[in-house]
Each structure stands twice: as C-alpha cells, then as structure tokens.
Amino acid sequence: MALTNLSRSIKGCVAFITGAASGMGAATAKLFASEGAKVAAIDINAEGLQQVVAEIEAAGCEAKAWTLDLSDAQGIKQTIDAVAAHFGGIDLLINNAGISIPSPIDADGFEEAWAKTFDILITAHTRTIRATLPYLRKSNNPRIVNIASTEALGATKYGSPYTAAKTGVIGLTRSIAVELGSEGITVNCICPGPIRTGMTDAIPEDQKQEFARRRVALKRYAEAEEVAHGTLNFCLPSSSFITGTALPVDGGMTIKNA
Ligand code: NAI
C-alpha cells in the first residue's frame, strides 16, 4: 500500500521552456529532460539550442529545438502549435527567456530599452500563456512558471525597465493564477537572486564575490541548476495546491538586513 497519494514525477509531461539555449533555461531543459519530460527547447539562439538538445539526447533523454524570437507574436502561436502537434500536447509552460538593458531614466535610448524590455520580459509571457491555454486545459498536470527576479522585490540603479517588467511578472502570475484556478492550472513565479548565467557573465569574479559576501546569506552566487530545481518543484503533480506565489531563490539575499 502506498503511503502517499501525490506523485513527484513529471515523466511524460511536455515542457515548453523559453530561453533554453543558455543559463537557467538550459539548466531547466536538462533537468526536466533528465526527469523524463519531453522538452521543447525554445530560444532565438539556434546554435546554443542545438548544443543543449545534443547534450540532452546524448544522455538518452528527449528534447527538440525550436528557434523563435519571442517578440514575434505570430511566431509564438505557430511554434506552440507546432510543439503540441509534435509531442501531442503541452503540460508545462516555463516563461524564462530574458534580457537586461540598463538605462538611466533620462537617457536618449530609454524609450527603446523600455519597449524592448517589456516586449520580452512580460508581453511575450501573456502571448505564450494565451497560446498554450488550449493545450494546458487538456493536460492532467497543467503548470505555468514565470521567471521574475529579486529585482521585482527590490531595485538597482538604472534598472527601471527591468524592475518594472519583473514586478509586472509577479502581478501577471497572481492574476492569471486567480483566473485559471478553477481549472486546476497552477501559476507561480520564481525570483532568482544572483545566478551564474550568460546574463551575469560580464560581471568580474571579484565583484561577484564582494557582492555575495555583503548581500547574500549563503555568501555566493548560485549555479543555474539550483534555480531549475525550484522550477521543477512547482511543476510536480504533488504541488497541486501551490499557486499565485513568488518564490525567492536567492540564497537569502532578500531577507538579509545586515
Ligand atoms: P541568459 O542570458 O543566460 O539566458 C537568457 C536566454 O534568453 C538566452 O538564451 C537568450 O538567447 C534568450 N532570449 C533573449 N531574448 C530572446 C528572444 N527575443 N527570443 C527568444 N529567446 C530570447 O540569462 P539567464 O540569467 O539564464 O536568464 C533567465 C531568466 O532569469 C531571465 O528572465 C532573467 O531576467 C532572469 N534572471 C536572471 C538572474 C541572474 O542573476 N542571472 C537573476 C534574476 C532573474
């Protein structure tokens, strides 16, 4: 006789993961594939995607790449329909792809930075959610996870487009969680802190260590895989009553005062 009723396996689920060519998206694609999911790896970077998919296949797991620019509304819909046709549905939507364009509020290029940031960091999420919904509605384990940021819980100078968009991701998550709750579709977001990925590559190692020493309870940057495990937890069938949350995965950065 089983001692518990709920499964901690995503085996057989189809996962649509954006930004899968690098950083947290690549780590999530590898983790989900190793857990037995069928991974649709989505990114604008075709070369990076091929590498990630080749690694997954070499490990005997299942993934396929779709090259997509998430600023292309029509492309999003077409890609989602193609993924569903290929794998026979979609169960897990991971809105992870992102960009960071620091811009002072009075800079000449501010409006452009603002528009581009909102396009990729939040408008694309609404489009992927709208286009996957018919498939999520047919799933036995429908889950949406949006990747926000600790920049949605605090702020950094010159980051107003990023912080405003990421704060919006938390609002979007809560609102859609309420809207889709009666259908059993859960919607959560993760707020990563300082993580070693393509986005933070250019920050010199000594600056990383100094930042972590001052600001992070665990005194270090995280590896991308440590965030991927948080995302996996939201996607488990056993996480069926967790919705509308914003989980910091930040080594204790947001709770550390001194
Ligand atoms: P990354 O730069 O390693 O990966 C981002 C991926 O998104 C890249 O593969 C890139 O090609 C893809 N992408 C960018 N624009 C795209 C577009 N128009 N269409 C399709 N794909 C596109 O960065 P990282 O850190 O793995 O970023 C993942 C998410 O985590 C992002 O939403 C980012 O804002 C967020 N984040 C990152 C933190 C960090 O410390 N690295 C901290 C908090 C949040």
Side-chain angles (χ1 to χ4, degrees):
M1 195 180 73
L3 291 176
T4 62
N5 298 312
L6 299 173
S7 156
R8 289 184 58 80
S9 170
I10 57 164
K11 193 169 190 317
C13 287
V14 177
F16 186 96
I17 303 173
T18 70
S22 172
M24 285 181 250
T28 305
K30 290 179 202 171
L31 174 63
F32 278 40
S34 76
E35 292 289 314
K38 299 169 193 169
V39 170
I42 312 297
D43 208 289
I44 196 170
N45 173 0
E47 206 178 308
L49 272 185
Q50 290 310 333
Q51 277 178 25
V52 171
V53 168
E55 233 182 289
I56 289 172
E57 287 176 341
C61 302
E62 195 170 353
K64 182 171 163 54
W66 275 269
T67 307
L68 170 68
D69 181 348
L70 285 158
S71 64
D72 173 5
Q74 200 52 38
I76 289 176
K77 171 95 181 69
Q78 284 166 357
T79 304
I80 284 169
D81 289 342
V83 168
H86 180 79
F87 284 128
I90 297 175
D91 305 286
L92 317 172
L93 168 62
I94 315 299
N95 281 314
N96 162 84
I99 51 171
S100 169
I101 315 172
S103 181
I105 189 75
D106 56 357
D108 283 346
F110 182 82
E111 295 247 351
E112 205 185 330
W114 180 271
K116 178 86 182 148
T117 301
F118 269 70
D119 217 19
I120 304 304
L121 288 191
I122 186 160
T123 305
H125 295 19
T126 64
R127 291 175 173 153
T128 56
I129 292 168
R130 282 163 54 79
T132 50
L133 204 46
Y135 305 109
L136 296 177
R137 283 183 166 138
K138 291 186 195 142
S139 166
N140 293 324
N141 185 44
R143 303 275 181 263
I144 300 172
V145 181
N146 299 317
I147 305 302
S149 172
T150 46
E151 289 295 321
L153 309 173
T156 301
K157 198 173 171 185
Y158 305 142
S160 66
Y162 190 84
T163 294
K166 290 297 193 183
T167 305
V169 171
I170 296 182
L172 177 71
T173 300
R174 290 178 176 153
S175 183
I176 303 299
V178 170
E179 191 171 329
L180 301 181
S182 63
E183 301 186 63
I185 301 172
T186 71
V187 191
N188 291 284
C189 69
I190 298 228
C191 297
I195 321 294
R196 292 184 186 277
T197 69
M199 196 172 273
T200 55
D201 239 9
I203 303 171
E205 188 57 33
D206 58 336
Q207 277 183 39
K208 280 192 176 113
Q209 287 185 14
E210 175 57 14
F211 177 87
R213 189 188 63 74
R214 282 193 302 109
R215 299 292 318 284
V216 183
L218 292 176
K219 306 286 179 200
R220 62 179 177 86
Y221 265 57
E223 299 301 329
E225 188 178 337
E226 297 180 274
V227 182
H229 278 276
T231 304
L232 172 62
N233 267 303
F234 281 136
C235 292
L236 300 175
S238 54
S239 295
S240 45
F241 207 56
I242 303 173
T243 198
T245 67
L247 175 72
V249 179
D250 67 349
M253 190 180 97
T254 44
I255 49 89
K256 185 175 180 299
N257 283 342

mmCIF file of all heavy atoms in Angstrom, residues 19-25 42-45 68-71 96-99 116 120-121 147-150 162 166 191-200 221, ligand 1:
data_model
loop_
_atom_site.group_PDB
_atom_site.id
_atom_site.type_symbol
_atom_site.label_atom_id
_atom_site.label_comp_id
_atom_site.label_asym_id
_atom_site.label_seq_id
_atom_site.Cartn_x
_atom_site.Cartn_y
_atom_site.Cartn_z
ATOM 1 N N GLY A 19 14.069 30.481 -23.601
ATOM 2 C CA GLY A 19 15.423 30.857 -23.171
ATOM 3 C C GLY A 19 16.255 29.639 -22.854
ATOM 4 O O GLY A 19 17.165 29.688 -22.016
ATOM 5 N N ALA A 20 15.998 28.537 -23.561
ATOM 6 C CA ALA A 20 16.613 27.243 -23.225
ATOM 7 C C ALA A 20 18.037 27.082 -23.762
ATOM 8 O O ALA A 20 18.674 26.066 -23.509
ATOM 9 C CB ALA A 20 15.731 26.102 -23.732
ATOM 10 N N ALA A 21 18.528 28.085 -24.484
ATOM 11 C CA ALA A 21 19.881 27.949 -25.050
ATOM 12 C C ALA A 21 20.978 28.288 -24.053
ATOM 13 O O ALA A 21 22.151 28.012 -24.303
ATOM 14 C CB ALA A 21 20.014 28.861 -26.274
ATOM 15 N N SER A 22 20.617 28.887 -22.927
ATOM 16 C CA SER A 22 21.653 29.398 -22.016
ATOM 17 C C SER A 22 21.150 29.413 -20.575
ATOM 18 O O SER A 22 19.940 29.323 -20.330
ATOM 19 C CB SER A 22 22.018 30.824 -22.480
ATOM 20 O OG SER A 22 22.871 31.458 -21.562
ATOM 21 N N GLY A 23 22.071 29.530 -19.650
ATOM 22 C CA GLY A 23 21.759 29.818 -18.253
ATOM 23 C C GLY A 23 20.676 28.956 -17.628
ATOM 24 O O GLY A 23 20.694 27.725 -17.726
ATOM 25 N N MET A 24 19.737 29.618 -16.984
ATOM 26 C CA MET A 24 18.696 28.893 -16.243
ATOM 27 C C MET A 24 17.775 28.100 -17.150
ATOM 28 O O MET A 24 17.298 27.030 -16.773
ATOM 29 C CB MET A 24 17.882 29.880 -15.417
ATOM 30 C CG MET A 24 18.627 30.358 -14.201
ATOM 31 S SD MET A 24 17.636 31.498 -13.248
ATOM 32 C CE MET A 24 18.497 33.011 -13.548
ATOM 33 N N GLY A 25 17.513 28.619 -18.357
ATOM 34 C CA GLY A 25 16.646 27.891 -19.289
ATOM 35 C C GLY A 25 17.295 26.587 -19.718
ATOM 36 O O GLY A 25 16.644 25.535 -19.778
ATOM 37 N N ILE A 42 13.176 26.330 -26.521
ATOM 38 C CA ILE A 42 12.836 27.496 -27.335
ATOM 39 C C ILE A 42 13.861 28.598 -27.086
ATOM 40 O O ILE A 42 14.140 28.938 -25.926
ATOM 41 C CB ILE A 42 11.435 28.038 -26.931
ATOM 42 C CG1 ILE A 42 10.395 26.918 -26.835
ATOM 43 C CG2 ILE A 42 11.001 29.169 -27.848
ATOM 44 C CD1 ILE A 42 10.104 26.182 -28.104
ATOM 45 N N ASP A 43 14.365 29.202 -28.155
ATOM 46 C CA ASP A 43 15.286 30.331 -27.990
ATOM 47 C C ASP A 43 15.483 31.026 -29.341
ATOM 48 O O ASP A 43 15.221 30.440 -30.393
ATOM 49 C CB ASP A 43 16.647 29.856 -27.448
ATOM 50 C CG ASP A 43 17.379 30.934 -26.640
ATOM 51 O OD1 ASP A 43 17.849 31.908 -27.254
ATOM 52 O OD2 ASP A 43 17.461 30.791 -25.396
ATOM 53 N N ILE A 44 15.989 32.248 -29.285
ATOM 54 C CA ILE A 44 16.355 32.971 -30.508
ATOM 55 C C ILE A 44 17.725 32.490 -30.992
ATOM 56 O O ILE A 44 18.078 32.658 -32.160
ATOM 57 C CB ILE A 44 16.351 34.500 -30.230
ATOM 58 C CG1 ILE A 44 16.344 35.298 -31.526
ATOM 59 C CG2 ILE A 44 17.507 34.909 -29.321
ATOM 60 C CD1 ILE A 44 16.106 36.798 -31.311
ATOM 61 N N ASN A 45 18.501 31.894 -30.093
ATOM 62 C CA ASN A 45 19.875 31.463 -30.370
ATOM 63 C C ASN A 45 19.893 29.996 -30.835
ATOM 64 O O ASN A 45 19.948 29.071 -30.013
ATOM 65 C CB ASN A 45 20.714 31.663 -29.098
ATOM 66 C CG ASN A 45 22.117 31.093 -29.205
ATOM 67 O OD1 ASN A 45 22.505 30.531 -30.226
ATOM 68 N ND2 ASN A 45 22.871 31.229 -28.135
ATOM 69 N N LEU A 68 13.030 30.674 -32.073
ATOM 70 C CA LEU A 68 11.912 31.631 -32.039
ATOM 71 C C LEU A 68 12.373 32.943 -31.415
ATOM 72 O O LEU A 68 13.018 32.948 -30.370
ATOM 73 C CB LEU A 68 10.771 31.032 -31.185
ATOM 74 C CG LEU A 68 9.611 31.955 -30.817
ATOM 75 C CD1 LEU A 68 8.794 32.326 -32.068
ATOM 76 C CD2 LEU A 68 8.703 31.300 -29.777
ATOM 77 N N ASP A 69 12.006 34.063 -32.041
ATOM 78 C CA ASP A 69 12.179 35.377 -31.423
ATOM 79 C C ASP A 69 10.882 35.698 -30.693
ATOM 80 O O ASP A 69 9.823 35.841 -31.319
ATOM 81 C CB ASP A 69 12.476 36.422 -32.508
ATOM 82 C CG ASP A 69 12.679 37.813 -31.916
ATOM 83 O OD1 ASP A 69 12.369 38.013 -30.720
ATOM 84 O OD2 ASP A 69 13.138 38.702 -32.658
ATOM 85 N N LEU A 70 10.955 35.813 -29.380
ATOM 86 C CA LEU A 70 9.742 35.994 -28.566
ATOM 87 C C LEU A 70 9.089 37.367 -28.750
ATOM 88 O O LEU A 70 8.037 37.623 -28.168
ATOM 89 C CB LEU A 70 10.061 35.744 -27.093
ATOM 90 C CG LEU A 70 10.232 34.253 -26.762
ATOM 91 C CD1 LEU A 70 11.050 34.076 -25.483
ATOM 92 C CD2 LEU A 70 8.884 33.553 -26.637
ATOM 93 N N SER A 71 9.692 38.230 -29.559
ATOM 94 C CA SER A 71 8.995 39.481 -29.874
ATOM 95 C C SER A 71 8.059 39.294 -31.072
ATOM 96 O O SER A 71 7.347 40.221 -31.463
ATOM 97 C CB SER A 71 10.002 40.606 -30.145
ATOM 98 O OG SER A 71 10.767 40.302 -31.288
ATOM 99 N N ASN A 96 10.898 31.772 -19.256
ATOM 100 C CA ASN A 96 12.206 32.042 -18.642
ATOM 101 C C ASN A 96 13.061 33.043 -19.425
ATOM 102 O O ASN A 96 13.863 33.759 -18.828
ATOM 103 C CB ASN A 96 12.952 30.704 -18.490
ATOM 104 C CG ASN A 96 14.429 30.908 -18.285
ATOM 105 O OD1 ASN A 96 14.900 31.143 -17.171
ATOM 106 N ND2 ASN A 96 15.197 30.841 -19.381
ATOM 107 N N ALA A 97 12.909 33.099 -20.743
ATOM 108 C CA ALA A 97 13.813 33.940 -21.560
ATOM 109 C C ALA A 97 13.814 35.372 -21.046
ATOM 110 O O ALA A 97 12.787 35.890 -20.611
ATOM 111 C CB ALA A 97 13.380 33.920 -23.020
ATOM 112 N N GLY A 98 14.973 36.002 -21.099
ATOM 113 C CA GLY A 98 15.021 37.379 -20.628
ATOM 114 C C GLY A 98 16.211 38.144 -21.157
ATOM 115 O O GLY A 98 17.178 37.566 -21.674
ATOM 116 N N ILE A 99 16.108 39.465 -21.014
ATOM 117 C CA ILE A 99 17.188 40.375 -21.396
ATOM 118 C C ILE A 99 17.286 41.439 -20.307
ATOM 119 O O ILE A 99 16.333 41.639 -19.550
ATOM 120 C CB ILE A 99 16.915 41.069 -22.749
ATOM 121 C CG1 ILE A 99 15.512 41.703 -22.743
ATOM 122 C CG2 ILE A 99 17.062 40.098 -23.906
ATOM 123 C CD1 ILE A 99 15.226 42.596 -23.925
ATOM 124 N N LYS A 116 11.548 47.358 -25.531
ATOM 125 C CA LYS A 116 12.156 46.047 -25.804
ATOM 126 C C LYS A 116 12.076 45.153 -24.554
ATOM 127 O O LYS A 116 11.761 43.962 -24.640
ATOM 128 C CB LYS A 116 13.630 46.283 -26.202
ATOM 129 C CG LYS A 116 14.431 45.046 -26.481
ATOM 130 C CD LYS A 116 14.282 44.599 -27.918
ATOM 131 C CE LYS A 116 15.050 43.311 -28.183
ATOM 132 N NZ LYS A 116 14.449 42.461 -29.171
ATOM 133 N N ILE A 120 9.867 41.472 -24.230
ATOM 134 C CA ILE A 120 10.413 40.130 -23.968
ATOM 135 C C ILE A 120 10.092 39.655 -22.558
ATOM 136 O O ILE A 120 9.783 38.474 -22.346
ATOM 137 C CB ILE A 120 11.961 40.122 -24.170
ATOM 138 C CG1 ILE A 120 12.319 40.612 -25.574
ATOM 139 C CG2 ILE A 120 12.541 38.728 -23.921
ATOM 140 C CD1 ILE A 120 11.675 39.848 -26.704
ATOM 141 N N LEU A 121 10.157 40.538 -21.578
ATOM 142 C CA LEU A 121 10.036 40.093 -20.178
ATOM 143 C C LEU A 121 8.599 39.893 -19.720
ATOM 144 O O LEU A 121 8.370 39.245 -18.710
ATOM 145 C CB LEU A 121 10.727 41.075 -19.231
ATOM 146 C CG LEU A 121 12.248 41.101 -19.247
ATOM 147 C CD1 LEU A 121 12.786 41.922 -18.087
ATOM 148 C CD2 LEU A 121 12.849 39.702 -19.202
ATOM 149 N N ILE A 147 9.598 33.212 -14.731
ATOM 150 C CA ILE A 147 10.828 33.594 -14.031
ATOM 151 C C ILE A 147 10.848 35.116 -13.888
ATOM 152 O O ILE A 147 10.993 35.849 -14.876
ATOM 153 C CB ILE A 147 12.088 33.084 -14.771
ATOM 154 C CG1 ILE A 147 12.005 31.560 -14.986
ATOM 155 C CG2 ILE A 147 13.342 33.456 -13.970
ATOM 156 C CD1 ILE A 147 11.858 30.708 -13.733
ATOM 157 N N ALA A 148 10.669 35.573 -12.658
ATOM 158 C CA ALA A 148 10.743 37.020 -12.368
ATOM 159 C C ALA A 148 12.175 37.327 -11.921
ATOM 160 O O ALA A 148 13.134 36.931 -12.592
ATOM 161 C CB ALA A 148 9.706 37.401 -11.326
ATOM 162 N N SER A 149 12.339 37.967 -10.772
ATOM 163 C CA SER A 149 13.683 38.323 -10.298
ATOM 164 C C SER A 149 13.577 38.930 -8.907
ATOM 165 O O SER A 149 12.521 39.467 -8.538
ATOM 166 C CB SER A 149 14.303 39.355 -11.246
ATOM 167 O OG SER A 149 15.519 39.847 -10.715
ATOM 168 N N THR A 150 14.682 38.910 -8.164
ATOM 169 C CA THR A 150 14.702 39.693 -6.918
ATOM 170 C C THR A 150 14.646 41.188 -7.250
ATOM 171 O O THR A 150 14.366 41.994 -6.371
ATOM 172 C CB THR A 150 15.960 39.396 -6.081
ATOM 173 O OG1 THR A 150 17.104 39.416 -6.943
ATOM 174 C CG2 THR A 150 15.863 38.053 -5.388
ATOM 175 N N TYR A 162 13.722 46.964 -16.347
ATOM 176 C CA TYR A 162 13.793 45.564 -15.884
ATOM 177 C C TYR A 162 12.956 45.373 -14.621
ATOM 178 O O TYR A 162 12.151 44.455 -14.520
ATOM 179 C CB TYR A 162 15.265 45.222 -15.631
ATOM 180 C CG TYR A 162 15.559 43.757 -15.378
ATOM 181 C CD1 TYR A 162 15.745 42.874 -16.440
ATOM 182 C CD2 TYR A 162 15.677 43.265 -14.093
ATOM 183 C CE1 TYR A 162 16.049 41.532 -16.202
ATOM 184 C CE2 TYR A 162 15.975 41.931 -13.852
ATOM 185 C CZ TYR A 162 16.164 41.066 -14.911
ATOM 186 O OH TYR A 162 16.463 39.743 -14.678
ATOM 187 N N LYS A 166 9.701 43.046 -14.331
ATOM 188 C CA LYS A 166 9.731 41.869 -13.450
ATOM 189 C C LYS A 166 8.678 41.983 -12.342
ATOM 190 O O LYS A 166 8.094 40.986 -11.920
ATOM 191 C CB LYS A 166 11.124 41.688 -12.846
ATOM 192 C CG LYS A 166 12.181 41.242 -13.860
ATOM 193 C CD LYS A 166 11.881 39.882 -14.448
ATOM 194 C CE LYS A 166 13.058 39.306 -15.209
ATOM 195 N NZ LYS A 166 12.765 38.014 -15.834
ATOM 196 N N CYS A 191 11.713 34.141 -8.143
ATOM 197 C CA CYS A 191 12.511 35.367 -8.137
ATOM 198 C C CYS A 191 13.964 34.985 -7.871
ATOM 199 O O CYS A 191 14.411 34.937 -6.710
ATOM 200 C CB CYS A 191 12.012 36.319 -7.051
ATOM 201 S SG CYS A 191 10.317 36.864 -7.315
ATOM 202 N N PRO A 192 14.727 34.707 -8.937
ATOM 203 C CA PRO A 192 16.138 34.350 -8.712
ATOM 204 C C PRO A 192 16.925 35.559 -8.218
ATOM 205 O O PRO A 192 16.656 36.690 -8.610
ATOM 206 C CB PRO A 192 16.631 33.921 -10.105
ATOM 207 C CG PRO A 192 15.395 33.736 -10.934
ATOM 208 C CD PRO A 192 14.379 34.665 -10.370
ATOM 209 N N GLY A 193 17.903 35.274 -7.377
ATOM 210 C CA GLY A 193 18.862 36.299 -6.959
ATOM 211 C C GLY A 193 20.053 36.264 -7.886
ATOM 212 O O GLY A 193 19.890 36.117 -9.104
ATOM 213 N N PRO A 194 21.272 36.367 -7.358
ATOM 214 C CA PRO A 194 22.446 36.369 -8.238
ATOM 215 C C PRO A 194 22.832 34.955 -8.685
ATOM 216 O O PRO A 194 23.173 34.112 -7.856
ATOM 217 C CB PRO A 194 23.541 36.973 -7.345
ATOM 218 C CG PRO A 194 23.102 36.684 -5.948
ATOM 219 C CD PRO A 194 21.614 36.577 -5.950
ATOM 220 N N ILE A 195 22.748 34.727 -9.985
ATOM 221 C CA ILE A 195 22.951 33.390 -10.547
ATOM 222 C C ILE A 195 24.033 33.461 -11.632
ATOM 223 O O ILE A 195 24.051 34.412 -12.425
ATOM 224 C CB ILE A 195 21.649 32.841 -11.196
ATOM 225 C CG1 ILE A 195 20.393 33.199 -10.369
ATOM 226 C CG2 ILE A 195 21.763 31.337 -11.451
ATOM 227 C CD1 ILE A 195 20.270 32.570 -9.013
ATOM 228 N N ARG A 196 24.873 32.453 -11.718
ATOM 229 C CA ARG A 196 25.905 32.393 -12.763
ATOM 230 C C ARG A 196 25.264 31.941 -14.078
ATOM 231 O O ARG A 196 24.946 30.756 -14.235
ATOM 232 C CB ARG A 196 27.014 31.411 -12.371
ATOM 233 C CG ARG A 196 27.841 31.879 -11.210
ATOM 234 C CD ARG A 196 28.982 30.930 -10.921
ATOM 235 N NE ARG A 196 29.687 31.327 -9.702
ATOM 236 C CZ ARG A 196 30.626 32.267 -9.664
ATOM 237 N NH1 ARG A 196 31.004 32.882 -10.771
ATOM 238 N NH2 ARG A 196 31.202 32.600 -8.525
ATOM 239 N N THR A 197 25.058 32.892 -14.985
ATOM 240 C CA THR A 197 24.471 32.594 -16.301
ATOM 241 C C THR A 197 25.088 33.546 -17.313
ATOM 242 O O THR A 197 25.908 34.395 -16.961
ATOM 243 C CB THR A 197 22.943 32.846 -16.294
ATOM 244 O OG1 THR A 197 22.730 34.258 -16.191
ATOM 245 C CG2 THR A 197 22.228 32.130 -15.168
ATOM 246 N N GLY A 198 24.618 33.452 -18.551
ATOM 247 C CA GLY A 198 25.059 34.372 -19.589
ATOM 248 C C GLY A 198 24.816 35.824 -19.194
ATOM 249 O O GLY A 198 25.617 36.712 -19.515
ATOM 250 N N MET A 199 23.718 36.061 -18.465
ATOM 251 C CA MET A 199 23.347 37.437 -18.113
ATOM 252 C C MET A 199 24.334 38.087 -17.144
ATOM 253 O O MET A 199 24.506 39.302 -17.137
ATOM 254 C CB MET A 199 21.943 37.439 -17.513
ATOM 255 C CG MET A 199 21.293 38.791 -17.467
ATOM 256 S SD MET A 199 19.573 38.698 -16.970
ATOM 257 C CE MET A 199 18.759 38.416 -18.530
ATOM 258 N N THR A 200 24.972 37.277 -16.312
ATOM 259 C CA THR A 200 25.890 37.828 -15.301
ATOM 260 C C THR A 200 27.361 37.534 -15.623
ATOM 261 O O THR A 200 28.248 37.861 -14.834
ATOM 262 C CB THR A 200 25.551 37.251 -13.900
ATOM 263 O OG1 THR A 200 25.563 35.825 -13.984
ATOM 264 C CG2 THR A 200 24.201 37.718 -13.410
ATOM 265 N N TYR A 221 27.153 33.332 -5.335
ATOM 266 C CA TYR A 221 26.238 33.242 -6.461
ATOM 267 C C TYR A 221 25.762 31.790 -6.545
ATOM 268 O O TYR A 221 26.470 30.871 -6.124
ATOM 269 C CB TYR A 221 26.963 33.589 -7.760
ATOM 270 C CG TYR A 221 26.843 35.033 -8.196
ATOM 271 C CD1 TYR A 221 27.240 36.074 -7.364
ATOM 272 C CD2 TYR A 221 26.346 35.349 -9.457
ATOM 273 C CE1 TYR A 221 27.142 37.387 -7.776
ATOM 274 C CE2 TYR A 221 26.239 36.661 -9.881
ATOM 275 C CZ TYR A 221 26.638 37.674 -9.036
ATOM 276 O OH TYR A 221 26.537 38.967 -9.453
HETATM 277 P P1 NAI B 1 20.926 34.047 -20.134
HETATM 278 O O1 NAI B 1 21.315 35.292 -20.860
HETATM 279 O O2 NAI B 1 21.961 33.043 -19.824
HETATM 280 O O3 NAI B 1 19.721 33.329 -20.893
HETATM 281 C C1 NAI B 1 18.642 34.048 -21.438
HETATM 282 C C2 NAI B 1 18.200 33.359 -22.713
HETATM 283 O O4 NAI B 1 17.044 34.073 -23.234
HETATM 284 C C3 NAI B 1 19.279 33.366 -23.813
HETATM 285 O O5 NAI B 1 19.499 32.058 -24.305
HETATM 286 C C4 NAI B 1 18.699 34.270 -24.865
HETATM 287 O O6 NAI B 1 19.090 33.936 -26.201
HETATM 288 C C5 NAI B 1 17.197 34.109 -24.647
HETATM 289 N N1 NAI B 1 16.460 35.205 -25.259
HETATM 290 C C6 NAI B 1 16.712 36.541 -25.108
HETATM 291 N N2 NAI B 1 15.901 37.252 -25.906
HETATM 292 C C7 NAI B 1 15.118 36.361 -26.575
HETATM 293 C C8 NAI B 1 14.107 36.489 -27.565
HETATM 294 N N3 NAI B 1 13.739 37.683 -28.059
HETATM 295 N N4 NAI B 1 13.518 35.368 -28.041
HETATM 296 C C9 NAI B 1 13.906 34.154 -27.582
HETATM 297 N N5 NAI B 1 14.869 33.960 -26.666
HETATM 298 C C10 NAI B 1 15.473 35.063 -26.173
HETATM 299 O O7 NAI B 1 20.252 34.593 -18.800
HETATM 300 P P2 NAI B 1 19.607 33.877 -17.524
HETATM 301 O O8 NAI B 1 20.185 34.545 -16.356
HETATM 302 O O9 NAI B 1 19.623 32.421 -17.612
HETATM 303 O O10 NAI B 1 18.103 34.414 -17.660
HETATM 304 C C11 NAI B 1 16.960 33.610 -17.469
HETATM 305 C C12 NAI B 1 15.885 34.422 -16.754
HETATM 306 O O11 NAI B 1 16.313 34.674 -15.411
HETATM 307 C C13 NAI B 1 15.646 35.803 -17.373
HETATM 308 O O12 NAI B 1 14.260 36.068 -17.376
HETATM 309 C C14 NAI B 1 16.364 36.747 -16.422
HETATM 310 O O13 NAI B 1 15.810 38.028 -16.458
HETATM 311 C C15 NAI B 1 16.134 36.042 -15.109
HETATM 312 N N6 NAI B 1 17.011 36.398 -14.008
HETATM 313 C C16 NAI B 1 18.388 36.211 -14.066
HETATM 314 C C17 NAI B 1 19.184 36.459 -12.955
HETATM 315 C C18 NAI B 1 20.664 36.197 -12.933
HETATM 316 O O14 NAI B 1 21.339 36.516 -11.945
HETATM 317 N N7 NAI B 1 21.252 35.608 -13.953
HETATM 318 C C19 NAI B 1 18.594 36.956 -11.697
HETATM 319 C C20 NAI B 1 17.174 37.104 -11.735
HETATM 320 C C21 NAI B 1 16.434 36.830 -12.841
#
